[in-house]
Amino acid sequence: MTTTTRTMLDQQLKRARLVSSIAATVISLACGTNYVYSAWAPQFADKLHLTTTQSNLIGLAGNLGMYSMGVPVGMYVDRRGTRPPVILGALLLGLGYFPFKAAYESGTGSVPLLCIFSFLTGFGSCMAFAASVKTSALNWPHHRGTATAFPLAAFGLSAFFFSASGSVFFPGNTGAFLMFLSVGTFTLTFLGFFFLKVYPRSSYHPIHSGPGLSSSQQLRRTLSEESKPQTGRSFVDGEPGMSPTVYTTPSGTTAPALSGATDELVGPSSSRDVSPPRRSNDVEAASAGTAQEDIDETSSLVSRSSSLPGDVYVESSVDMDRSHRIDIRGWALLKSLEFWQLFCIMAILAGIGLMTINNIGHDVNALWKYYDKTVDDTFLVHRQQMHVSILSIGSFIGRLLSGVGSDFLVKVLKASRVWCLALGSVIFFIAQLCALNILNPHLLGFVSGLSGLGYGFLFGVFPSIVAESFGIHGLSQNWGFMTLSPVVSGNVFNLFYGKVFDKHSIVNDEGERTCPDGIDCYKDAYYMTLGACAIGLCVSLWTIRRQHHQRLKEAKRTAED
């Protein structure tokens, strides 16, 4: 293949990846609607005469679907690819929101049943979002932090998009807004499905054996493998990073990895049934042809810089990256101290963020009704939507800054990405101080803005940290384990907020609950989260210190070997 042809194919592949990244971003925009809950929850609770605790239970069910299903969804995405979860997610989102519209119009609804439908919205979001993030991570391995920052940022911007659209097209009409959520989330996810695709790398170059390599250090196809027809085999067999095979780590031990770049180079497992690939477009076929042309039957996969027989690398800076050399998952993940450190950070900071995200509407109502007795429901709805938008924009900015900023930390400053989590802890700490001291509702934007920013810093960088610490091949299921933590902390913080708020609430003659005490309605809840921020910062600094020592040990072992 000529250089000109190869360049043209690379350009086509790049354009295809860009289209796939845009699709992942659009899908993610539909997946963050659990965070718009505060924009309609107070009105929904008033219409159905629900307590603040009952309203929080419905919101928590959505969070439960989003976070508790991360492990099975991640395993499904890792094994089956990124496309099937997207279409399933679209259906669950549409079906999950529609019953809320019906319940609001009728003024009645069973809380347990509403929790189930809320769970479905979270479950659908989890499926589609996991697929979009992994697609971005696999398509742009050289710039993983930046690539995943866009779908992560769109996820954070989702609440702003739907809240702002609702305030423009359906002002004060909660029933129409709920219908908009049902139709809008389904449509965005369904349309993105047709363009979301993982495209393989085609930049592999074989390394021919030299005097420094013994024959035992070269990887060759076995006779049984050579006898198999190769015409149907390509880099687009399923998707890169999909089905498990055998992966050799730098230490010489074997671990399960996924097909795609690594699987194609090492060779398929003997127990795996390989079906002929379906090449859906010329770009995929071209990239497969490029990769196959570069690999001959005796190409060595040992890097020029490696002298260890147990080392298996590919000639690519991507595969030399730590996230491609390690594969820690399952029980090995649960026995890792670094996993539990990150798990605790996620639990603490995500729980703090979710408390404000789910209850900023109640903060708005309490402060405004205490500050100005003449405010009406239309004014309060507008203010709630405004603060949900501020939260969403803050989350969007935080995700972008931490995603791109973490790449800067690693590549330029040679520092840990976990510094972004430490900064997020500081931002959350300032947000809690604001919530404890702001009496004027005009200044409540500091609470919502800083909470969104801190939440964005947390989720914008965390997938990259997980991939870097435990390997890219098991990213979806490892990320699923990590997102179990907000299930516990989110419940604790939100239910505590509900109990505090209900303690100060009274029921009027019409059966509606209201809290006349202003900041005292929720102040005690923010004292608890303030202390949690300090703990989160300490754990973040401990993780940075331990990571530094671990990386130094790894570098020393590599130098000695």
Side-chain angles (χ1 to χ4, degrees):
M1 182 180 292
T2 65
T3 303
T4 303
T5 304
R6 189 184 299 274
T7 301
M8 290 176 62
L9 293 178
D10 287 343
Q11 288 298 323
Q12 290 178 3
L13 193 60
K14 183 177 181 180
R15 284 194 294 270
R17 285 174 176 159
L18 286 172
V19 171
S20 183
S21 295
I22 293 171
T25 303
V26 170
I27 291 170
S28 298
L29 192 64
C31 295
T33 48
N34 282 350
Y35 303 135
V36 80
Y37 182 67
S38 283
W40 57 273
Q43 287 68 44
F44 188 83
D46 289 344
K47 187 72 177 285
L48 275 68
H49 304 298
L50 304 176
T51 66
T52 304
T53 301
Q54 288 175 324
S55 177
N56 271 342
L57 281 173
I58 295 172
L60 285 172
N63 294 333
L64 190 67
M66 181 72 194
Y67 297 118
S68 68
M69 300 306 294
V71 174
V73 166
M75 295 175 69
Y76 181 71
V77 171
D78 284 340
R79 187 166 293 271
R80 302 295 296 175
T82 58
R83 287 171 62 80
V86 174
I87 198 68
L88 291 174
L91 293 173
L92 290 176
L93 281 166
L95 294 174
Y97 276 116
F98 184 77
F100 284 97
K101 188 261 183 185
Y104 183 82
E105 295 295 344
S106 65
T108 59
S110 166
V111 172
L113 199 58
L114 291 172
C115 286
I116 292 174
F117 288 119
S118 181
F119 179 87
L120 291 181
T121 65
F123 188 18
S125 296
C126 179
M127 296 188 80
F129 184 57
S132 65
V133 170
K134 180 154 189 181
T135 299
S136 296
L138 289 172
N139 276 338
W140 304 97
H142 284 289
H143 308 281
R144 193 179 305 117
T146 301
T148 57
F150 284 95
L152 288 166
F155 183 87
L157 198 63
S158 177
F160 167 73
F161 173 77
F162 282 94
S163 180
S165 300
S167 63
V168 172
F169 297 108
F170 316 105
N173 191 340
T174 303
F177 179 66
L178 289 169
M179 189 65 185
F180 173 58
L181 284 175
S182 178
V183 175
T185 53
F186 171 80
T187 302
L188 289 175
T189 310
F190 183 72
L191 291 177
F193 164 79
F194 295 100
F195 302 97
L196 189 75
K197 185 71 176 177
V198 175
Y199 294 95
R201 300 191 301 277
S202 60
S203 58
Y204 172 81
H205 301 286
I207 307 170
H208 302 290
S209 67
L213 287 176
S214 67
S215 60
S216 65
Q217 288 176 294
Q218 299 183 40
L219 294 185
R220 303 173 182 267
R221 295 183 192 272
T222 62
L223 292 176
S224 62
E225 208 49 52
E226 290 176 357
S227 64
K228 293 180 182 179
Q230 297 297 321
T231 55
R233 182 77 170 159
S234 78
F235 265 55
V236 288
D237 177 21
E239 288 179 359
M242 202 172 77
S243 300
T245 181
V246 175
Y247 185 80
T248 305
T249 64
S251 61
T253 59
T254 58
L258 301 172
S259 67
T262 304
D263 184 41
E264 290 299 328
L265 299 177
V266 176
S269 171
S270 60
S271 63
R272 179 180 167 201
D273 293 329
V274 179
S275 58
R278 293 177 295 174
R279 298 180 180 180
S280 59
N281 55 50
D282 294 337
V283 174
E284 292 173 5
S287 65
T290 303
Q292 289 172 343
E293 182 178 325
D294 281 345
I295 305 174
D296 59 33
E297 295 297 317
T298 61
S299 296
S300 171
L301 302 184
V302 184
S303 85
R304 293 183 176 90
S305 61
S306 174
S307 60
L308 297 177
D311 290 355
V312 178
Y313 295 101
V314 289
E315 179 68 358
S316 167
S317 61
V318 174
D319 297 304
M320 293 295 289
D321 181 75
R322 186 175 190 271
S323 64
H324 284 262
R325 291 187 285 106
I326 62 172
D327 189 6
I328 302 172
R329 60 176 109 177
W331 288 113
L333 181 76
L334 298 180
K335 291 187 289 186
S336 168
L337 176 59
E338 187 172 354
F339 165 76
W340 290 109
Q341 288 176 318
L342 295 174
F343 189 89
C344 289
I345 296 171
M346 170 67 84
I348 293 169
L349 300 185
I352 293 168
L354 286 172
M355 191 188 82
T356 298
I357 288 170
N358 286 349
N359 294 286
I360 191 65
H362 295 298
D363 291 359
V364 170
N365 282 358
L367 274 191
W368 272 107
K369 288 180 179 179
Y370 184 81
Y371 183 81
D372 186 355
K373 309 295 184 183
T374 63
V375 295
D376 57 13
D377 288 341
T378 302
F379 175 84
L380 291 175
V381 169
H382 179 267
R383 287 289 169 171
Q384 289 163 13
Q385 291 177 335
M386 183 188 76
H387 282 283
V388 168
S389 297
I390 294 172
L391 263 166
S392 184
I393 293 172
S395 179
F396 170 77
I397 294 172
R399 288 167 193 258
L400 275 183
L401 288 177
S402 63
V404 178
S406 68
D407 279 349
F408 177 80
L409 283 172
V410 171
K411 294 180 179 181
V412 179
L413 302 181
K414 309 300 180 185
S416 171
R417 295 183 195 268
V418 184
W419 278 110
C420 288
L421 301 183
L423 180 57
S425 302
V426 174
I427 294 171
F428 271 128
F429 190 85
I430 298 172
Q432 310 315 296
L433 290 177
C434 291
L436 289 168
N437 291 281
I438 289 177
L439 300 175
N440 186 339
H442 290 99
L443 302 177
L444 197 58
F446 285 104
V447 177
S448 53
L450 289 171
S451 295
L453 187 65
Y455 199 74
F457 261 90
L458 172 68
F459 278 90
V461 72
F462 229 106
S464 294
I465 293 175
V466 172
E468 191 176 76
S469 298
F470 311 115
I472 185 65
H473 301 291
L475 172 61
S476 292
Q477 58 184 280
N478 289 344
W479 177 242
F481 275 110
M482 200 64 68
T483 56
L484 285 175
S485 56
V487 174
V488 178
S489 60
N491 278 319
V492 171
F493 289 130
N494 277 280
L495 291 179
F496 184 72
Y497 181 100
K499 292 296 184 183
V500 171
F501 202 95
D502 285 340
K503 181 181 177 181
H504 292 271
S505 299
I506 59 174
V507 181
N508 60 23
D509 296 336
E510 297 177 356
E512 295 180 351
R513 287 181 172 269
T514 184
C515 181
D517 297 337
I519 194 174
D520 291 332
C521 294
Y522 54 79
K523 195 171 187 178
D524 290 345
Y526 282 97
Y527 276 124
M528 181 176 69
T529 52
L530 183 69
C533 287
I535 297 174
L537 178 60
C538 291
V539 178
S540 298
L541 295 176
W542 175 35
T543 304
I544 292 170
R545 184 174 183 274
R546 185 176 180 278
Q547 270 191 358
H548 178 67
H549 288 299
Q550 288 293 108
R551 302 298 185 261
L552 287 178
K553 289 180 181 178
E554 289 180 9
K556 185 177 180 181
R557 280 199 301 268
T558 303
E560 290 175 351
D561 292 338

